[in-house]
Structure formats: C-alpha cells, structure tokens
Amino acid sequence: MPSAFTILFFIIIILAVLSWIIPAGKYATDASGNIIAHTYHQVASHPQGIWDVFMAMVVGMIGDSKTEGAIQISLFILVIGGFLGVVNKTGALNNGIAAVVHRYKGRERSLIPILMIVFALGGTTYGMGEETLAFYPLLIPVMMGCGFDSIVAVAVALVGTQVGVLAATVDPFATGVASATLKISPGDGLVTRLILLVIVTTISILYVMHYASEIKKDPTKSLVYAQRKEDEKRFMADNAEVKPLTKVQKRVLWLFALAFIIMIMGLVPWTDLNSHWTFFNTLTDWLHNLPVLGILIGKDLPALGTWCFNEITLLFIVMSIIVMLVAHMSESEFIDAFMGGMGELLSVAIIVAVARGIQVVMNNGMITATVLHWGEVGLSGLSRSAFIILTYIFYIPMSFLIPSTSGLAAATMGIMGPLGHFCHVSGSLVITAYQAASGWINLITPTSGILMGAMAIAHVNVSVWWKWIAKLMVILFVISCVFLGIAAVL
C-alpha cells in the first residue's frame, strides 16, 4: 500500500480531473454560512489545472477565501507532540503502566480489565497506538507466566487502545480535526461518545477475559498452543524486574491526567447542555473583575466550556513547561524533548494540510455543491438511522485506504457533515460514526503498523489473530450500528 500522502495526492488529482466533467454549482447559505437545503443551482465551470493541484496543498495549510486552512489544527497537533515528548522524556507513562503490571503480579486476571481501561483511556483521549509496542515485551511474559498466552497480552493493549479510538471522546487527531472541519466544538457529542466508550470497552474486556479463562482451564484451547514451548523460550526470560515509579514520575502522571481533564472541561459546552450550568462563566467574570490580578491574568481569558483550538494549544504549551519544572529538566533537555515530540507528529500535521487540499480543489472547482446536491437528492427518502449506519459502513473501506485518522477526517468531513445536515443528523454523530469505523478497522487491517508490529513482536501470524478476533469484530460492528441508529433518532 502507498502512504497516506500518496493516496491523498492522487485523490486531489482525480478530483481536479472531475472538475472538468462534473457541473459546477452553488448553494445559498444563511448568516452563519450554513448551507440552505433545496437552493442548489448550476454556475459557470471552474476546471482545475496542474498549478491548482499543487497549490491545493499549500492553500490547504494557510487557507483562502473559499476554504479555511489547517494551520490551527496542525499547530495543535505539533504542540501535543511536544507535550508527549516532554512527558515521555521523564519515563512516567511507560513506568506507570509497568508499575501497575508489577503491582498486580499473581493477580493477572484482574489486571486484564484494569489495563484495558487504562489503554482505552489512552486511545479515547489522544489516539494512543504506536506507544503500545513498548509494552508487549513486558505484558507477554507476565500473561504467559499465569497460564495465559501471547494473544491475551496483545489483546490487552491492542484491543484496549483501539476500542478507545472507536469511541474517541477528545482525541485531537480524530475528534479535533473532524470537529474543526465541521466548525463545531470537539465537546459536541461528548456524552454520546462516553456512553459508547463504556459499552465497547466492557464488551471487549469480557471477550478477552472469557478467552483467558478458557485457556487457563485448558491450555490446548489456546490458538497458539502449538508454539507454546517456543514462546516460553522467547519471552519468559525477559520478565525483568520493574523499577518503581519515582516521586517525580508520579507528579508528572498527575499533571498528564490534569492536562486532559482541563481540556475536556474547556471543550464541553456546559451552558448548551444546561442553561443553568454557568459556574465557569461566573468564575471567569469574577476573575476578570479582580483589581490588578484580573488584568495580570488577562482580560481575554475565556470561560471553560467555550474553548477551541487556540486555548487548548496554549494549555499543552503551559503544561509542558510545568512538567519541565516538576521534572527538573534543563532548558536544553526540555527543548530537545519538545522539538523531538513535535518531530514525531510532523507527518500527521502535514497530512492534515494535504487532506485539506482535497476540499480546496473541490471548492475552487465548485463541484462540492454539486456532489452535495446529488447526495441531497439520493438521500431524500432516507431515515436518520439509515443514513448514519450507511455513513459508518462507508467509513470502513475509507479507513482502510487512508489509515491516518486526521487525514481521513480532513479529507471527507467537508462532504459527509453537510450530507448529514440534509438528513437532519448532527455533525457530532457523523464524527462518531467515522471514529467508530476507524477504530474498528484498525483491529484487523494489515496496513496498520500498530497491528503488524504487535504480531511481529508476539510471533503471532495475522491470520491467527483474525480467527481469534472475528467474533468480537462482528459484535462491535453490530453494537456500533445499533448504537448509531438509536442515537440518530434521540
């Protein structure tokens, strides 16, 4: 498979060619810029050329009169990378999970739900994925030592993180990018996604624990029983002593959790959920009116619940500095860690701009409205539940072709969000459907480096993994469809 960059670039070329074929058109919009249904009309053709194809990626970053640029999102992604780089420099995350594993030694069955919840929280808050590769050499010998197998160890981290991605709540790379594309708050639909998170995480934990119990009673039921002796030679000697968390690492973990808690509190539209929930607005007004201190804090400080990308970008910059101070990092260590973390996510930040180039070509070619019109006509008799389920199914192959969640969101939300509007489905639920499909396909797609890396470390053939997870995939698919269908009509 070519990279997501190549796939997105070829999509831009294809859409530029289509701008010569598809009739150009426009919709009337209201004062807020929202499309007004049934107002489509054709306009003069605006075919896109070679210059336009390459310029689309530049405009995708900085924006123009027709398309908002991705610079705000890309900067946030880079800052998140810097924050994670500083936290990882302290070793707090890795040692934190290792300490949990060590603490529950001898009670590993009870460790399964605890760790899966921890990994699910990582997946739902910041799209944890590649980071899990560091834990398999630790989890495999622990799980094998209590009578389980390498599949259980892989499932704890892989299934845990990906069901978190499936029901991502505030993941900046999925929820954040998709919400920015639709110009809604990442906090919209948060309660719905939290309910889905609880459901799919519980089901996945029960599935893994059932398999673990079965092979504990009868080891021959393990799907990798034939290689048990080889696995013991490979992994059992690797069960090294785990160092306890230092006081500094504990403090960093608390700060790490606090950063995401503040972000969630800042993004949740409290007054929209309940007009009486005005505590944060009142508190902010009180702070602004304080003599001297109000000016010192800043008169532009927005209330929690009204934050967007600028505010949460600043939050993670400030939290990075606080972690530096708590961890007693030197200025050079902090800069190296922050810049290194930004470098890790540079490709993600750029891919958002490349994906936004698709929207640029469609908008400048004036074919976006025509495609939406076709959707409006084709979906005219479709119920809300049918639309959202079809959206979920549509995103499954799309997630396979474009594994980058941020790239996929930036590339498609400009079309799928307005289509949902025509069917009276909220943009936040369209985002939930896209995330559910992305997390679902990540559990089995061979294009995922996370999955194939885990299989390589555990010496498990991917076909064996597919056989083990097949029933869970069916269950998660059905649950997702039913949940989305119900949520669409509530």
Side-chain angles (χ1 to χ4, degrees):
M1 287 291 295
S3 69
F5 286 99
T6 304
I7 292 173
L8 291 170
F9 183 66
F10 275 115
I11 292 175
I12 291 174
I13 293 174
I14 292 169
L15 289 170
V17 172
L18 290 175
S19 71
W20 292 69
I21 303 169
I22 296 175
K26 287 181 67 176
Y27 271 98
T29 58
D30 59 22
S32 301
N34 297 317
I35 290 173
I36 301 174
H38 312 304
T39 60
Y40 171 81
H41 60 279
Q42 289 191 11
V43 297
S45 178
H46 286 70
Q48 301 291 285
I50 296 174
W51 174 268
D52 303 302
V53 167
F54 285 94
M55 182 58 73
M57 293 177 286
V58 177
V59 176
M61 176 63 82
I62 62 176
D64 62 6
S65 60
K66 296 179 181 178
T67 309
E68 186 176 349
I71 183 65
Q72 195 178 35
I73 308 169
S74 296
L75 177 61
F76 174 60
I77 290 171
L78 290 174
V79 169
I80 277 280
F83 172 71
L84 292 174
V86 174
V87 171
N88 286 330
K89 176 72 174 178
T90 68
L93 284 177
N94 286 358
N95 286 1
I97 295 179
V100 172
V101 172
H102 180 69
R103 181 178 179 182
Y104 281 84
K105 189 173 183 179
R107 296 177 290 160
E108 285 81 1
R109 190 174 183 278
S110 62
L111 187 60
I112 292 174
I114 294 172
L115 281 180
M116 288 190 72
I117 290 171
V118 170
F119 283 118
L121 290 174
T124 195
T125 52
Y126 71 97
M128 186 179 190
E130 289 85 353
E131 298 89 343
T132 58
L133 297 177
F135 298 113
Y136 296 123
L138 173 66
L139 289 172
I140 293 172
V142 169
M143 293 300 170
M144 288 185 64
C146 68
F148 304 145
D149 62 12
S150 54
I151 290 180
V152 173
V154 170
V156 166
L158 183 59
V159 176
T161 54
Q162 295 313 303
V163 294
V165 172
L166 187 156
T169 49
V170 290
D171 177 6
F173 313 115
T175 315
V177 174
S179 298
T181 304
L182 295 184
K183 298 180 181 179
I184 62 176
S185 168
D188 288 354
L190 179 62
V191 175
T192 300
R193 292 191 285 267
L194 279 171
I195 295 171
L196 180 59
L197 177 65
V198 172
I199 293 171
V200 295
T201 303
T202 301
I203 290 171
S204 300
I205 288 172
L206 292 174
Y207 188 87
V208 175
M209 291 185 72
H210 174 73
Y211 174 75
S213 298
E214 288 293 307
I215 62 174
K216 178 76 171 180
K217 296 174 184 176
D218 184 1
T220 61
K221 290 186 177 181
S222 169
L223 296 183
V224 289
Y225 179 74
Q227 63 185 59
R228 177 76 185 188
K229 290 184 178 179
E230 288 82 358
D231 284 343
E232 288 176 349
K233 293 178 182 178
R234 290 189 193 107
F235 300 115
M236 297 307 286
D238 295 333
N239 195 7
E241 183 180 352
V242 178
K243 295 181 179 179
L245 279 168
T246 65
K247 289 182 179 180
V248 167
Q249 289 173 337
K250 290 178 181 178
R251 291 168 186 162
V252 170
L253 285 176
W254 280 111
L255 289 171
F256 179 82
L258 180 62
F260 283 94
I261 291 171
I262 295 174
M263 182 179 76
I264 293 170
M265 293 174 66
L267 293 174
V268 174
W270 300 105
T271 53
D272 291 344
L273 296 176
N274 189 316
S275 59
H276 298 293
W277 292 354
T278 59
F279 172 77
F280 293 121
N281 300 73
T282 304
L283 176 63
T284 305
D285 290 339
W286 177 76
L287 287 172
H288 287 165
N289 292 325
L290 288 175
V292 183
L293 185 60
I295 300 175
L296 184 63
I297 292 173
K299 290 294 185 180
D300 293 329
L301 172 68
L304 293 175
T306 63
W307 287 16
C308 204
F309 279 98
N310 286 351
E311 291 76 20
I312 56 178
T313 299
L314 174 61
L315 168 67
F316 284 102
I317 292 174
V318 172
M319 294 305 290
S320 298
I321 295 171
I322 294 174
V323 170
M324 174 194 73
L325 297 174
V326 168
H328 307 294
M329 288 186 191
S330 66
E331 184 268 347
S332 60
E333 287 177 326
F334 169 74
I335 294 298
D336 288 345
F338 194 86
M339 297 303 293
M342 292 179 73
E344 291 289 328
L345 293 184
L346 179 61
S347 63
V348 178
I350 298 300
I351 207 170
V352 173
V354 176
R356 187 62 63 88
I358 293 173
Q359 194 174 342
V360 171
V361 167
M362 292 185 69
N363 288 349
N364 291 345
M366 303 198 75
I367 61 175
T368 302
T370 304
V371 174
L372 290 175
H373 174 64
W374 292 343
E376 181 184 11
V377 173
L379 299 171
S380 57
L382 212 58
S383 69
R384 287 180 286 175
S385 294
F387 170 80
I388 199 64
I389 291 172
L390 287 175
T391 299
Y392 170 64
I393 294 172
F394 160 77
Y395 269 114
I396 289 174
M398 289 300 296
S399 298
F400 175 83
L401 291 172
I402 307 176
S404 168
T405 54
S406 51
L408 180 59
T412 61
M413 276 297 152
I415 293 291
M416 297 308 297
L419 284 180
H421 174 72
F422 291 138
C423 288
H424 307 289
V425 174
S426 67
S428 64
L429 193 59
V430 173
I431 293 172
T432 302
Y434 131 75
Q435 293 179 154
S438 179
W440 187 84
I441 200 67
N442 283 348
L443 288 167
I444 57 172
T445 177
T447 62
S448 169
I450 303 169
L451 171 63
M452 301 311 291
M455 296 301 106
I457 293 171
H459 292 267
V460 174
N461 190 290
V462 72
S463 62
V464 175
W465 174 257
W466 288 339
K467 181 179 179 180
W468 177 82
I469 205 171
K471 291 180 181 178
L472 179 60
M473 295 298 292
V474 173
I475 294 170
L476 292 176
F477 178 84
V478 172
I479 289 293
S480 298
C481 288
V482 172
F483 182 87
L484 290 167
I486 294 173
V489 298
L490 292 178

